[in-house]
Amino acid sequence: MRQILLIQTIILICINGYSQTLNFTLANPQPNIMEGYGGIFASGDIDGDGDLDLLMTRIGPWTKLYKNDGTGNFTEVTHNFPRSGNSQAFFKDLDGDGDLDLFFSGQNELAQKFANIYRNDGLGNFTQVPNNLPVFIEGAAIADVDNDGDQDLVITTATISDIYLNNGNAVFTPQGNSVFTPVDGIVQIIDIENDGDQDVIISGSNTIKLYQNNGSGVYTLNINTTFPAISAEGIEVADTDNDGDLDLIINGNTQNLLYINNGAGLFSSISTNLQQTFAGKNAFADLDNDGDQDLLIVGSQAGGLPNIFNIVYRNDGNNTFVQTQILGGEYIADCVIADFNGDGLKDIIIQGFADDTNVYWNTSTVLGISEQIVNNNSIIFYPNPAKDFINLILKDESLITIYNSVGQIVFTKKMNSNDFIIDISNLTNGVYIIKLNENGNSKTAKFIKH
């Protein structure tokens, strides 16, 4: 009887469609953060209270730090950071003590350039750490490139492109033997072949180059993929088609180009209906909690005003992005996506030249957990998303295997019950693939652990 009811429910869902609406509402009143454009955002829980705080810069220049009360109300706090407009900032645990430190590079009101490291005391109070970094860094990314357990710094400037290795205490030393070509550009980290080490993309001077890591922080130029001869303004990374490898979108030369990974680090461009933009920012995030990476595109078409856009795209799978909402338009812009008000849905903050800073609350309507029953490739299971247990409806003896997002097996067992429960309480939150092998027939489906 239970199986019949489940199948009837699935049929109703298929007939009526997936009752879900992706929607954002302009916050009213707006949180108390500064208006501006031409700056950046960095977000993280700097004081360990479980909510996401905010660093913001703008042309002026100006730098402000805000603590969040957990409901999206921000309070400005004092800090010792330089004022900066166009800049870079990342919150990362650089000294391994469990709280978020800060890398911050930019140019102050006296036109003095800087690249600084700040250590967090765990309460959101930051102290600058002496370092031997270049005076100014055009492009940077942070990751553990040599697999020694701490966060290293990959940088590029017009004269230096190198890896600065972390001694574990937020003190960085240049590796000195980098094969990276120095460019005034950007850096992005991506594990292209799911081998657990951090590969690097660097763009500038009308080139985009991919460098492959041997696992110890030694890189070689990857020539298997040819990227367009452009200087990218941004490269964003996500598994856009949920096949377990990382894809990317390149923004540059008034284009937004989607490149799909074959799983072995070979990328191919595919056509999309995405708005073409420049002078903005793109960002991937799961905006409707369905396990797919949705997309926000912010920027301008050639010609500038009034052809500027903040467009939200819903990912319908198989690299199909559907425009769902336009949140005004900005350029000379930046954006940040995170759950700032603690309701379990990711919100959007955008700054830009047309309308300065705006916060948009995510007011999407999604199915309740108990309602999200999935029939994918004939695998019947529920709930999805799931917290502690997954219930499977099986026809015959089956081998069940669960993979995490990087392809590692986290569960495998042969089942001979027609109704089986899998304990997933020990899994970390994220997207997983469940594979069922039944009488030689293989079926796969995706679920979310939350």
Side-chain angles (χ1 to χ4, degrees):
M1 182 64 180
R2 182 181 184 186
Q3 183 171 348
I4 293 172
L5 288 174
L6 282 171
I7 294 172
Q8 287 174 338
T9 302
I10 291 163
I11 291 171
L12 286 173
I13 291 173
C14 293
I15 292 172
N16 295 325
Y18 186 65
S19 59
Q20 180 175 25
T21 301
L22 187 56
N23 187 71
F24 288 84
T25 302
L26 183 66
N28 185 17
Q30 284 282 304
N32 187 29
I33 58 177
M34 71 176 171
E35 303 286 352
Y37 69 96
I40 55 92
F41 296 108
S43 178
D45 182 7
I46 65 172
D47 50 5
D49 63 353
D51 51 49
L52 295 173
D53 309 300
L54 190 67
L55 175 76
M56 181 180 177
T57 73
R58 73 173 189 195
I59 283 178
W62 210 269
T63 302
K64 293 201 175 188
L65 181 65
Y66 300 93
K67 287 189 178 180
N68 187 353
D69 70 352
T71 65
N73 294 312
F74 292 93
T75 301
E76 184 180 354
V77 295
T78 58
H79 61 80
N80 59 338
F81 309 140
R83 295 182 182 182
S84 182
N86 187 21
S87 48
Q88 293 184 92
F90 304 99
F91 285 117
K92 289 278 189 176
D93 182 5
L94 300 177
D95 56 5
D97 64 353
D99 54 45
L100 295 179
D101 309 300
L102 178 67
F103 164 81
F104 188 23
S105 179
Q107 181 173 289
N108 67 16
E109 69 272 24
L110 301 177
Q112 297 169 329
K113 296 180 178 181
F114 63 89
N116 297 338
I117 301 293
Y118 297 87
R119 186 178 293 132
N120 188 350
D121 68 355
L123 301 175
N125 303 305
F126 293 86
T127 303
Q128 186 174 344
V129 181
N131 254 286
N132 187 32
L133 296 176
V135 173
F136 179 69
I137 298 173
E138 281 90 355
I142 297 175
D144 181 7
V145 302
D146 53 1
N147 284 312
D148 65 349
D150 52 45
Q151 299 293 310
D152 307 301
L153 184 61
V154 183
I155 66 104
T156 186
T157 74
T159 57
I160 301 171
S161 286
D162 204 352
I163 298 167
Y164 279 69
L165 296 174
N166 190 345
N167 72 349
N169 198 34
V171 176
F172 294 84
T173 304
Q175 187 183 59
N177 60 351
S178 167
V179 298
F180 304 151
T181 301
V183 291
D184 180 357
I186 63 170
V187 180
Q188 180 60 273
I189 300 292
I190 178 173
D191 181 1
I192 64 172
E193 71 277 60
N194 278 334
D195 61 354
D197 53 51
Q198 303 303 308
D199 309 301
V200 170
I201 301 176
I202 297 178
S203 179
S205 301
N206 292 317
T207 64
I208 301 173
K209 293 184 178 180
L210 174 61
Y211 298 90
Q212 201 158 347
N213 190 346
N214 74 346
S216 300
V218 177
Y219 286 84
T220 55
L221 179 64
N222 183 307
I223 59 174
N224 295 328
T225 297
T226 301
F227 293 107
I230 61 176
S231 295
E233 295 182 39
I235 299 176
E236 308 304 325
V237 172
D239 183 2
T240 63
D241 45 15
N242 275 316
D243 62 352
D245 53 51
L246 293 174
D247 314 297
L248 54 90
I249 186 169
I250 299 172
N251 172 236
N253 195 27
T254 323
Q255 301 176 85
N256 285 305
L257 306 173
L258 183 61
Y259 278 78
I260 303 305
N261 190 346
N262 74 344
L266 179 64
F267 293 85
S268 56
S269 178
I270 66 170
S271 61
T272 68
N273 62 343
L274 299 176
Q275 177 66 55
Q276 307 303 295
T277 57
F278 75 104
K281 178 70 180 293
N282 299 332
F284 284 111
D286 183 3
L287 299 174
D288 48 10
N289 289 348
D290 66 348
D292 294 314
Q293 293 297 306
D294 307 300
L295 177 63
L296 172 67
I297 286 181
V298 176
S300 172
Q301 278 188 312
L305 288 168
N307 300 312
I308 58 176
F309 308 93
N310 307 329
I311 304 178
V312 178
Y313 291 89
R314 185 185 69 243
N315 187 344
D316 282 353
N318 199 28
N319 290 306
T320 300
F321 291 89
V322 178
Q323 179 179 316
T324 62
Q325 195 173 6
I326 297 178
L327 306 176
E330 293 294 355
Y331 69 113
I332 317 177
D334 193 29
C335 64
V336 60
I337 301 178
D339 179 11
F340 289 109
N341 60 4
D343 64 354
L345 295 170
K346 293 181 175 64
D347 311 299
I348 293 173
I349 307 178
I350 301 172
Q351 63 161 292
F353 181 76
D355 196 24
D356 291 322
T357 305
N358 283 296
V359 176
Y360 298 89
W361 299 134
N362 190 337
T363 53
S364 302
T365 302
V366 299
L367 291 173
I369 292 174
S370 62
E371 298 173 277
Q372 295 189 42
I373 301 170
V374 173
N375 181 15
N376 187 347
N377 264 350
S378 300
I379 300 180
I380 302 174
F381 65 99
Y382 66 96
N384 188 27
K387 182 178 182 181
D388 295 317
F389 299 96
I390 286 179
N391 296 269
L392 279 166
I393 304 295
L394 304 176
K395 297 178 181 178
D396 300 296
E397 183 176 83
S398 304
L399 176 65
I400 303 296
T401 308
I402 297 177
Y403 301 85
N404 63 17
S405 60
V406 296
Q408 299 168 324
I409 296 176
V410 296
F411 176 90
T412 184
K413 190 172 182 179
K414 182 169 284 189
M415 314 301 183
N416 55 16
S417 171
N418 288 330
D419 192 351
F420 190 81
I421 297 175
I422 299 177
D423 183 354
I424 61 167
S425 60
N426 63 326
L427 300 183
T428 59
N429 293 351
V431 179
Y432 292 84
I433 301 296
I434 184 168
K435 182 178 180 181
L436 182 151
N437 194 309
E438 194 173 60
N439 294 328
N441 296 317
S442 181
K443 309 166 187 177
T444 60
K446 173 187 64 182
F447 74 90
I448 304 168
K449 165 68 165 63
H450 75 131

